[in-house]
Amino acid sequence: MAKRKASASRPERRPRGEIDRNFFFGDVFIKTGVAVAVALGLITLYTPFTLMGAIHDGMWDYLAVMGGFGTIGIACFLFGRHLRRQATHWDFD
């Protein structure tokens, strides 16, 4: 007796509106993350002290703000990459 193989289920593509929305907002979040990184880089270059100097001087508020914005920038960038991947890949990829 021959065994029957189940027919391979075809992946269903998401609606075009959802793909476009994920692609657009993915771009927005990626660019926001990069813009935050550039702004933090410029602020870091403009400040006259180093990171170790800020730690030794007890500038915890400055470090907290820079770390907070750094976290926001990384989160935006990674979330944007996730949305772009959802928009450009099929379900079985």
Side-chain angles (χ1 to χ4, degrees):
M1 260 171 108
K3 291 184 179 179
R4 265 194 174 170
K5 288 187 176 181
S7 64
S9 62
R10 297 181 71 200
E12 291 186 26
R13 189 161 183 155
R14 289 179 301 278
R16 184 69 187 170
E18 181 182 348
I19 292 171
D20 289 343
R21 184 180 63 244
N22 284 348
F23 195 85
F24 173 75
F25 283 113
D27 268 354
V28 168
F29 279 111
I30 288 171
K31 290 175 183 176
T32 301
V34 170
V36 169
V38 168
L40 286 177
L42 292 174
I43 291 169
T44 303
L45 289 175
Y46 184 71
T47 53
F49 47 83
T50 63
L51 179 63
M52 288 307 296
I55 291 172
H56 289 302
D57 292 341
M59 298 175 62
W60 301 112
D61 52 349
Y62 171 79
L63 296 173
V65 169
M66 294 294 276
F69 277 106
T71 303
I72 289 170
I74 290 171
C76 284
F77 180 79
L78 293 176
F79 184 63
R81 296 282 299 169
H82 171 73
L83 288 177
R84 285 288 301 271
R85 180 165 172 77
Q86 279 187 340
T88 57
H89 286 81
W90 288 72
D91 291 332
F92 62 89
D93 282 347

